[in-house]
Amino acid sequence: MTNIDPSAMQGDPPARTSASLLIVTGMSGGGKSVALKTLEDLGFYCVDNLPAELLPEFVRAAAHPERAEQKLAVGIDMRNRGDLGNLPEWLSAVGAMGLEPQLVFFDAADPALLRRYSETRRRHPLTHLGLALADAISLERQALKPLRSLADLVVDTSELNVHQLRHRVITELGLSQDSSLSLLFESFAYRRGLPADADFVFDARSLPNPHWEPRLKPLSGRDQEVRDYFLAQPQVGEYLAHVAGFLDTWLPRMQSNTRSYVTVAVGCSGGRHRSVYLAEALAAHARDGGWTDVATFHRELD
């Protein structure tokens, strides 16, 4: 892929805008996905795993004068195809276009990263090299040292749950937040255990399972084909109505000066279809009901 020369972009520069740009980076398993999802919920236009050398071109296209208030967030990490050592050059090119990019590095101690990968059973981006997980983490930490040294803000997520991380993102970056209860709707697979921070847990394993439909099996509850499947199932609609009614009754009673967040977890066998669909549907219902700080987290997908 051809490198971008910042000087070549100085001819015919775009008008300076009031757009903002956050570069989200850090250790795999350190919380970048949750951070990007939080920023997306707050109105940022988010792109994950953008090749770093395309950063100036992306900003040039996205921060158009007609969208001068656009808030941009870009995820860049070890999956990146390109030399991350050139990132200062690309950031300078972005600065010449009228933005002041802010680099935020999400980190966590090695034991926390090992625990998270053990709990989710996801593959580390560097395990394809034949490395043990601990060695992959060590190699990634060494490779990302230059990025960490460039960071405007380093967020240590070792002791943070999802709610606390969202709160840190909002407060550390000076983003607006009202005082209402923060709601997280989380999907999970029962075979991998219950979420440790769940306040309410609902079991969806009795519902029809798209896993047994060959065309739906590789998809998730986020996909339209799977949503259409569930919409055609009366049992699913009845289940959703009962759970939504329960939450409509009890969530308002949980608001207090001492409680700032609630996690509603929905589980199924694989954590891919039923629980994901229901978590998304309940989150949409909560937003429609006037809750303003609502997020979803799909443990087996995210």
Side-chain angles (χ1 to χ4, degrees):
M1 192 174 291
T2 303
N3 287 335
I4 295 173
D5 180 3
S7 62
M9 303 187 66
Q10 293 177 1
D12 188 27
R16 294 182 70 86
T17 77
S18 60
S20 60
L21 173 65
L22 293 175
I23 309 296
V24 178
T25 186
M27 295 292 293
S28 301
K32 300 187 307 297
S33 296
V34 174
L36 282 171
K37 179 64 176 175
T38 301
L39 293 171
E40 186 177 44
D41 291 339
L42 294 172
F44 279 73
Y45 179 72
C46 298
V47 176
D48 192 17
N49 201 22
L50 179 77
E53 60 196 63
L54 297 182
L55 183 61
E57 288 187 0
F58 166 73
V59 172
R60 188 180 183 87
H64 191 277
E66 294 180 0
R67 297 191 294 271
E69 300 301 323
Q70 183 74 62
K71 298 183 293 184
L72 309 175
V74 176
I76 294 176
D77 54 38
M78 280 299 294
R79 298 168 297 169
N80 204 269
R81 298 178 181 178
D83 185 1
L84 293 178
N86 291 328
L87 187 60
E89 177 183 334
W90 298 321
L91 292 177
S92 296
V94 169
M97 299 166 65
L99 280 76
E100 295 183 4
Q102 185 175 9
L103 182 64
V104 185
F105 191 99
F106 288 87
D107 202 354
D110 287 2
L113 296 175
L114 288 167
R115 184 183 69 251
R116 290 170 187 175
Y117 273 103
S118 175
E119 290 173 349
T120 63
R121 301 184 187 179
R122 298 185 66 194
R123 290 175 59 86
H124 188 279
L126 296 181
T127 53
H128 72 280
L129 299 176
L131 299 173
L133 177 57
D135 293 332
I137 291 172
S138 178
L139 178 60
E140 181 185 29
R141 190 175 296 284
Q142 185 67 28
L144 292 180
K145 271 187 177 180
L147 283 188
R148 198 179 194 280
S149 66
L150 286 172
D152 299 289
L153 174 65
V154 176
V155 180
D156 187 343
T157 70
S158 301
E159 304 299 327
L160 303 181
N161 62 30
V162 174
H163 280 295
Q164 292 165 335
L165 176 53
R166 280 175 55 84
H167 182 71
R168 283 287 297 276
V169 170
I170 292 168
T171 56
E172 295 280 2
L173 297 177
L175 305 175
S176 61
Q177 181 188 36
D178 58 38
S179 59
S180 66
L181 198 66
S182 173
L183 303 180
L184 177 70
F185 293 89
E186 179 175 356
S187 67
F188 70 95
Y190 268 96
R191 66 169 178 260
R192 294 181 178 172
L194 296 174
D197 58 348
D199 296 292
F200 296 111
V201 178
F202 296 96
D203 187 345
R205 289 176 291 183
S206 63
L207 298 177
N209 190 357
H211 174 83
W212 305 112
E213 298 286 339
R215 66 184 181 86
L216 300 180
K217 181 178 178 178
L219 304 178
S220 79
R222 291 168 167 166
D223 294 304
Q224 186 60 50
E225 295 93 334
V226 176
R227 293 199 297 268
D228 291 341
Y229 171 89
F230 284 128
L231 288 170
Q233 306 289 334
Q235 295 176 55
V236 176
E238 184 179 6
Y239 184 97
L240 185 59
H242 286 167
V243 174
F246 174 86
L247 295 176
D248 287 346
T249 299
W250 292 103
L251 285 179
R253 304 185 189 188
M254 299 185 72
Q255 281 187 293
S256 69
N257 293 331
T258 59
R259 175 177 282 274
S260 59
Y261 55 81
V262 171
T263 296
V264 178
V266 185
C268 63
S269 301
R272 185 173 185 84
H273 297 103
R274 293 168 290 185
S275 59
V276 171
Y277 170 80
L278 290 168
E280 291 287 347
L282 290 169
H285 176 79
R287 294 187 187 101
D288 291 342
W291 296 96
T292 56
D293 189 357
V294 179
T296 57
F297 177 64
H298 304 299
R299 192 179 72 181
E300 320 307 342
L301 302 182
D302 297 338

